[in-house]
Short mmCIF file of all heavy atoms in Angstrom, two decimals:
data_model
loop_
_atom_site.label_atom_id
_atom_site.label_comp_id
_atom_site.label_asym_id
_atom_site.label_seq_id
_atom_site.Cartn_x
_atom_site.Cartn_y
_atom_site.Cartn_z
N ARG A 20 -46.52 53.78 28.67
CA ARG A 20 -47.34 54.62 27.80
C ARG A 20 -47.66 55.95 28.49
O ARG A 20 -47.94 55.99 29.68
CB ARG A 20 -48.66 53.92 27.48
CG ARG A 20 -48.47 52.66 26.69
CD ARG A 20 -49.80 52.05 26.34
NE ARG A 20 -49.61 50.80 25.62
CZ ARG A 20 -50.50 49.82 25.60
NH1 ARG A 20 -51.64 49.95 26.24
NH2 ARG A 20 -50.25 48.72 24.94
N ASP A 21 -47.65 57.00 27.71
CA ASP A 21 -48.04 58.34 28.14
C ASP A 21 -47.36 58.79 29.43
O ASP A 21 -48.03 59.22 30.38
CB ASP A 21 -49.57 58.42 28.31
CG ASP A 21 -50.31 58.01 27.05
OD1 ASP A 21 -49.86 58.42 25.96
OD2 ASP A 21 -51.32 57.29 27.15
N PRO A 22 -46.02 58.73 29.50
CA PRO A 22 -45.35 59.16 30.72
C PRO A 22 -45.46 60.67 30.94
O PRO A 22 -45.41 61.44 29.99
CB PRO A 22 -43.90 58.74 30.50
CG PRO A 22 -43.74 58.72 29.01
CD PRO A 22 -45.08 58.30 28.47
N VAL A 23 -45.64 61.04 32.19
CA VAL A 23 -45.63 62.44 32.60
C VAL A 23 -44.49 62.56 33.60
O VAL A 23 -44.50 61.92 34.65
CB VAL A 23 -46.97 62.86 33.25
CG1 VAL A 23 -46.88 64.28 33.76
CG2 VAL A 23 -48.11 62.69 32.26
N VAL A 24 -43.48 63.38 33.26
CA VAL A 24 -42.27 63.51 34.07
C VAL A 24 -42.27 64.87 34.75
O VAL A 24 -42.45 65.90 34.10
CB VAL A 24 -41.01 63.35 33.20
CG1 VAL A 24 -39.75 63.48 34.04
CG2 VAL A 24 -41.04 62.02 32.45
N GLN A 25 -42.04 64.86 36.06
CA GLN A 25 -41.91 66.09 36.84
C GLN A 25 -40.58 66.04 37.56
O GLN A 25 -40.37 65.15 38.40
CB GLN A 25 -43.05 66.22 37.84
CG GLN A 25 -44.42 66.31 37.19
CD GLN A 25 -45.54 66.24 38.20
OE1 GLN A 25 -45.53 65.38 39.08
NE2 GLN A 25 -46.50 67.13 38.06
N VAL A 26 -39.68 66.97 37.24
CA VAL A 26 -38.36 67.02 37.85
C VAL A 26 -38.30 68.19 38.81
O VAL A 26 -38.75 69.30 38.49
CB VAL A 26 -37.26 67.16 36.78
CG1 VAL A 26 -35.88 67.26 37.41
CG2 VAL A 26 -37.32 65.99 35.80
N ASP A 27 -37.75 67.93 40.01
CA ASP A 27 -37.57 68.98 41.01
C ASP A 27 -36.16 68.82 41.59
O ASP A 27 -35.96 68.05 42.53
CB ASP A 27 -38.63 68.84 42.11
CG ASP A 27 -38.56 69.96 43.14
OD1 ASP A 27 -37.87 70.97 42.88
OD2 ASP A 27 -39.19 69.82 44.20
N GLY A 28 -35.21 69.48 40.96
CA GLY A 28 -33.81 69.36 41.39
C GLY A 28 -33.27 67.96 41.18
O GLY A 28 -33.19 67.50 40.05
N ASN A 29 -32.93 67.30 42.27
CA ASN A 29 -32.37 65.96 42.20
C ASN A 29 -33.39 64.86 42.42
O ASN A 29 -33.02 63.70 42.66
CB ASN A 29 -31.22 65.81 43.20
CG ASN A 29 -30.00 66.60 42.77
OD1 ASN A 29 -29.68 66.67 41.60
ND2 ASN A 29 -29.33 67.22 43.72
N THR A 30 -34.66 65.20 42.37
CA THR A 30 -35.71 64.19 42.48
C THR A 30 -36.66 64.34 41.30
O THR A 30 -36.75 65.40 40.68
CB THR A 30 -36.50 64.30 43.80
OG1 THR A 30 -37.16 65.56 43.85
CG2 THR A 30 -35.60 64.12 45.01
N ALA A 31 -37.38 63.27 41.01
CA ALA A 31 -38.34 63.31 39.91
C ALA A 31 -39.46 62.32 40.20
O ALA A 31 -39.31 61.39 40.99
CB ALA A 31 -37.67 62.96 38.59
N ARG A 32 -40.58 62.59 39.55
CA ARG A 32 -41.73 61.69 39.64
C ARG A 32 -42.21 61.44 38.22
O ARG A 32 -42.35 62.36 37.42
CB ARG A 32 -42.83 62.35 40.47
CG ARG A 32 -43.98 61.42 40.75
CD ARG A 32 -44.92 62.01 41.75
NE ARG A 32 -45.68 63.07 41.09
CZ ARG A 32 -46.38 63.99 41.73
NH1 ARG A 32 -46.39 64.02 43.03
NH2 ARG A 32 -47.07 64.89 41.06
N VAL A 33 -42.45 60.17 37.90
CA VAL A 33 -42.94 59.79 36.58
C VAL A 33 -44.23 59.00 36.77
O VAL A 33 -44.24 57.98 37.46
CB VAL A 33 -41.92 58.93 35.81
CG1 VAL A 33 -42.48 58.53 34.45
CG2 VAL A 33 -40.60 59.66 35.66
N SER A 34 -45.31 59.49 36.18
CA SER A 34 -46.59 58.78 36.19
C SER A 34 -46.84 58.28 34.78
O SER A 34 -46.64 59.02 33.81
CB SER A 34 -47.72 59.71 36.61
OG SER A 34 -47.47 60.23 37.89
N ALA A 35 -47.26 57.02 34.66
CA ALA A 35 -47.47 56.44 33.34
C ALA A 35 -48.38 55.23 33.46
O ALA A 35 -48.63 54.73 34.55
CB ALA A 35 -46.15 56.03 32.72
N THR A 36 -48.84 54.76 32.31
CA THR A 36 -49.53 53.48 32.24
C THR A 36 -48.52 52.44 31.80
O THR A 36 -47.81 52.65 30.81
CB THR A 36 -50.69 53.53 31.24
OG1 THR A 36 -51.63 54.51 31.67
CG2 THR A 36 -51.37 52.18 31.11
N LEU A 37 -48.41 51.35 32.55
CA LEU A 37 -47.54 50.26 32.17
C LEU A 37 -48.39 49.16 31.56
O LEU A 37 -49.32 48.67 32.20
CB LEU A 37 -46.78 49.70 33.37
CG LEU A 37 -45.78 50.65 34.04
CD1 LEU A 37 -45.02 49.90 35.13
CD2 LEU A 37 -44.82 51.26 33.05
N ALA A 38 -48.07 48.79 30.33
CA ALA A 38 -48.76 47.70 29.65
C ALA A 38 -47.86 46.47 29.77
O ALA A 38 -46.75 46.47 29.24
CB ALA A 38 -49.01 48.04 28.19
N ARG A 39 -48.34 45.46 30.48
CA ARG A 39 -47.55 44.24 30.69
C ARG A 39 -48.11 43.11 29.85
O ARG A 39 -49.32 42.92 29.78
CB ARG A 39 -47.58 43.84 32.16
CG ARG A 39 -46.84 44.81 33.05
CD ARG A 39 -46.88 44.30 34.50
NE ARG A 39 -46.11 45.13 35.38
CZ ARG A 39 -46.58 46.18 36.04
NH1 ARG A 39 -47.84 46.53 35.90
NH2 ARG A 39 -45.81 46.87 36.85
N ARG A 40 -47.21 42.35 29.25
CA ARG A 40 -47.56 41.17 28.47
C ARG A 40 -46.67 40.05 28.99
O ARG A 40 -45.44 40.10 28.87
CB ARG A 40 -47.32 41.37 26.98
CG ARG A 40 -48.00 42.60 26.40
CD ARG A 40 -49.52 42.49 26.42
NE ARG A 40 -50.17 43.72 25.96
CZ ARG A 40 -50.71 44.61 26.76
NH1 ARG A 40 -50.71 44.45 28.07
NH2 ARG A 40 -51.31 45.69 26.28
N ILE A 41 -47.30 39.03 29.59
CA ILE A 41 -46.55 37.98 30.27
C ILE A 41 -46.91 36.61 29.68
O ILE A 41 -48.08 36.30 29.49
CB ILE A 41 -46.89 37.99 31.78
CG1 ILE A 41 -46.56 39.36 32.37
CG2 ILE A 41 -46.15 36.88 32.52
CD1 ILE A 41 -47.15 39.61 33.74
N VAL A 42 -45.88 35.83 29.42
CA VAL A 42 -46.07 34.45 28.99
C VAL A 42 -45.43 33.56 30.06
O VAL A 42 -44.20 33.47 30.14
CB VAL A 42 -45.43 34.18 27.61
CG1 VAL A 42 -45.62 32.72 27.21
CG2 VAL A 42 -46.01 35.11 26.55
N PRO A 43 -46.27 32.94 30.89
CA PRO A 43 -45.72 32.09 31.96
C PRO A 43 -45.19 30.77 31.41
O PRO A 43 -45.56 30.34 30.31
CB PRO A 43 -46.92 31.86 32.88
CG PRO A 43 -48.11 32.05 32.02
CD PRO A 43 -47.72 33.02 30.94
N ARG A 44 -44.32 30.14 32.15
CA ARG A 44 -43.82 28.81 31.77
C ARG A 44 -44.96 27.80 31.80
O ARG A 44 -44.97 26.85 31.03
CB ARG A 44 -42.69 28.38 32.69
CG ARG A 44 -41.45 29.23 32.52
CD ARG A 44 -40.25 28.64 33.24
NE ARG A 44 -39.14 29.56 33.20
CZ ARG A 44 -38.32 29.71 32.18
NH1 ARG A 44 -38.50 29.03 31.09
NH2 ARG A 44 -37.33 30.57 32.23
N VAL A 45 -45.90 28.00 32.73
CA VAL A 45 -47.08 27.13 32.84
C VAL A 45 -48.31 28.02 32.87
O VAL A 45 -48.36 29.00 33.62
CB VAL A 45 -47.02 26.30 34.15
CG1 VAL A 45 -48.27 25.47 34.30
CG2 VAL A 45 -45.78 25.43 34.18
N GLY A 46 -49.29 27.72 32.04
CA GLY A 46 -50.52 28.50 32.02
C GLY A 46 -50.63 29.37 30.78
O GLY A 46 -49.83 29.28 29.85
N ASN A 47 -51.66 30.21 30.79
CA ASN A 47 -51.99 31.04 29.64
C ASN A 47 -51.31 32.41 29.70
O ASN A 47 -51.11 32.96 30.79
CB ASN A 47 -53.51 31.24 29.57
CG ASN A 47 -54.22 29.93 29.35
OD1 ASN A 47 -53.80 29.11 28.55
ND2 ASN A 47 -55.32 29.72 30.07
N PRO A 48 -51.03 32.99 28.53
CA PRO A 48 -50.49 34.35 28.50
C PRO A 48 -51.45 35.34 29.17
O PRO A 48 -52.66 35.14 29.19
CB PRO A 48 -50.37 34.65 27.01
CG PRO A 48 -50.27 33.31 26.36
CD PRO A 48 -51.13 32.41 27.20
N GLN A 49 -50.87 36.38 29.72
CA GLN A 49 -51.65 37.41 30.42
C GLN A 49 -51.27 38.78 29.86
O GLN A 49 -50.13 38.99 29.46
CB GLN A 49 -51.35 37.38 31.92
CG GLN A 49 -51.58 36.05 32.57
CD GLN A 49 -51.00 36.00 33.97
OE1 GLN A 49 -50.54 37.00 34.52
NE2 GLN A 49 -51.02 34.83 34.57
N ALA A 50 -52.23 39.68 29.88
CA ALA A 50 -51.97 41.06 29.46
C ALA A 50 -52.80 41.97 30.35
O ALA A 50 -53.98 41.72 30.60
CB ALA A 50 -52.36 41.25 28.00
N PHE A 51 -52.16 43.02 30.87
CA PHE A 51 -52.91 43.98 31.67
C PHE A 51 -52.16 45.30 31.71
O PHE A 51 -50.95 45.35 31.52
CB PHE A 51 -53.19 43.45 33.09
CG PHE A 51 -51.96 43.11 33.89
CD1 PHE A 51 -51.40 44.02 34.75
CD2 PHE A 51 -51.38 41.85 33.77
CE1 PHE A 51 -50.27 43.69 35.49
CE2 PHE A 51 -50.26 41.52 34.51
CZ PHE A 51 -49.70 42.45 35.37
N ASP A 52 -52.92 46.36 31.93
CA ASP A 52 -52.38 47.71 32.04
C ASP A 52 -52.62 48.20 33.46
O ASP A 52 -53.62 47.85 34.08
CB ASP A 52 -53.09 48.66 31.07
CG ASP A 52 -52.88 48.31 29.61
OD1 ASP A 52 -52.09 47.39 29.33
OD2 ASP A 52 -53.51 48.95 28.76
N SER A 53 -51.68 49.01 33.95
CA SER A 53 -51.85 49.59 35.28
C SER A 53 -51.20 50.96 35.35
O SER A 53 -50.12 51.18 34.79
CB SER A 53 -51.26 48.66 36.35
OG SER A 53 -49.87 48.49 36.14
N GLY A 54 -51.86 51.86 36.04
CA GLY A 54 -51.28 53.17 36.30
C GLY A 54 -50.19 53.01 37.34
O GLY A 54 -50.37 52.30 38.34
N THR A 55 -49.03 53.62 37.09
CA THR A 55 -47.89 53.43 37.98
C THR A 55 -47.17 54.76 38.17
O THR A 55 -47.07 55.56 37.24
CB THR A 55 -46.91 52.39 37.39
OG1 THR A 55 -47.64 51.19 37.13
CG2 THR A 55 -45.78 52.09 38.33
N GLU A 56 -46.67 54.96 39.38
CA GLU A 56 -45.87 56.15 39.66
C GLU A 56 -44.49 55.71 40.13
O GLU A 56 -44.37 54.90 41.05
CB GLU A 56 -46.51 57.01 40.74
CG GLU A 56 -45.68 58.25 41.06
CD GLU A 56 -46.30 59.10 42.14
OE1 GLU A 56 -46.02 58.84 43.33
OE2 GLU A 56 -47.08 60.00 41.79
N PHE A 57 -43.46 56.24 39.47
CA PHE A 57 -42.08 56.00 39.85
C PHE A 57 -41.55 57.27 40.51
O PHE A 57 -41.77 58.37 40.01
CB PHE A 57 -41.21 55.73 38.61
CG PHE A 57 -41.57 54.48 37.88
CD1 PHE A 57 -42.56 54.49 36.91
CD2 PHE A 57 -40.90 53.30 38.13
CE1 PHE A 57 -42.88 53.34 36.20
CE2 PHE A 57 -41.22 52.14 37.44
CZ PHE A 57 -42.21 52.16 36.48
N ARG A 58 -40.84 57.10 41.61
CA ARG A 58 -40.11 58.21 42.22
C ARG A 58 -38.63 57.93 42.00
O ARG A 58 -38.18 56.80 42.17
CB ARG A 58 -40.43 58.34 43.69
CG ARG A 58 -41.91 58.65 43.87
CD ARG A 58 -42.13 59.64 44.93
NE ARG A 58 -43.56 59.94 44.99
CZ ARG A 58 -44.01 61.12 45.30
NH1 ARG A 58 -43.17 62.09 45.55
NH2 ARG A 58 -45.30 61.33 45.35
N LEU A 59 -37.90 58.97 41.58
CA LEU A 59 -36.49 58.81 41.25
C LEU A 59 -35.63 59.83 41.98
O LEU A 59 -36.13 60.88 42.41
CB LEU A 59 -36.28 58.97 39.74
CG LEU A 59 -37.04 57.97 38.88
CD1 LEU A 59 -38.26 58.64 38.27
CD2 LEU A 59 -36.16 57.40 37.82
N ARG A 60 -34.35 59.51 42.07
CA ARG A 60 -33.36 60.38 42.68
C ARG A 60 -32.13 60.37 41.78
O ARG A 60 -31.73 59.33 41.27
CB ARG A 60 -33.03 59.85 44.07
CG ARG A 60 -31.79 60.40 44.72
CD ARG A 60 -31.54 59.78 46.10
NE ARG A 60 -31.50 58.34 46.16
CZ ARG A 60 -30.47 57.58 45.82
NH1 ARG A 60 -29.39 58.11 45.30
NH2 ARG A 60 -30.52 56.27 45.95
N ARG A 61 -31.54 61.56 41.62
CA ARG A 61 -30.30 61.64 40.84
C ARG A 61 -29.16 61.13 41.70
O ARG A 61 -29.00 61.52 42.84
CB ARG A 61 -30.03 63.08 40.41
CG ARG A 61 -28.93 63.20 39.38
CD ARG A 61 -28.58 64.63 39.05
NE ARG A 61 -29.70 65.53 38.93
CZ ARG A 61 -30.24 65.95 37.78
NH1 ARG A 61 -29.76 65.50 36.64
NH2 ARG A 61 -31.23 66.80 37.76
N ASP A 62 -28.38 60.20 41.13
CA ASP A 62 -27.25 59.60 41.83
C ASP A 62 -26.03 59.77 40.94
O ASP A 62 -25.81 58.97 40.03
CB ASP A 62 -27.54 58.12 42.10
CG ASP A 62 -26.43 57.42 42.87
OD1 ASP A 62 -25.55 58.11 43.43
OD2 ASP A 62 -26.44 56.18 42.91
N GLY A 63 -25.30 60.84 41.17
CA GLY A 63 -24.19 61.14 40.27
C GLY A 63 -24.73 61.53 38.91
O GLY A 63 -25.57 62.41 38.80
#
């Protein structure tokens, strides 16, 4: 959700909120959001 992308040549940074919804094999479903930053590199 709400990604913010910053590109600088062959590198980039993406900040976003990740909304996770998990259904385990054992136990109750879980849901949570977390702020996350991805760093990327152009490869070809």
Side-chain angles (χ1 to χ4, degrees):
R20 296 183 183 154
D21 304 319
V23 175
V24 180
Q25 298 172 313
V26 178
D27 184 13
N29 289 322
T30 62
R32 187 171 74 196
V33 179
S34 301
T36 298
L37 295 186
R39 292 182 176 91
R40 306 294 175 258
I41 302 166
V42 178
R44 293 191 187 279
V45 177
N47 296 318
Q49 304 168 7
F51 59 94
D52 296 354
S53 61
T55 305
E56 179 180 88
F57 295 86
R58 298 221 177 214
L59 300 103
R60 165 181 53 80
R61 192 185 318 259
D62 182 14

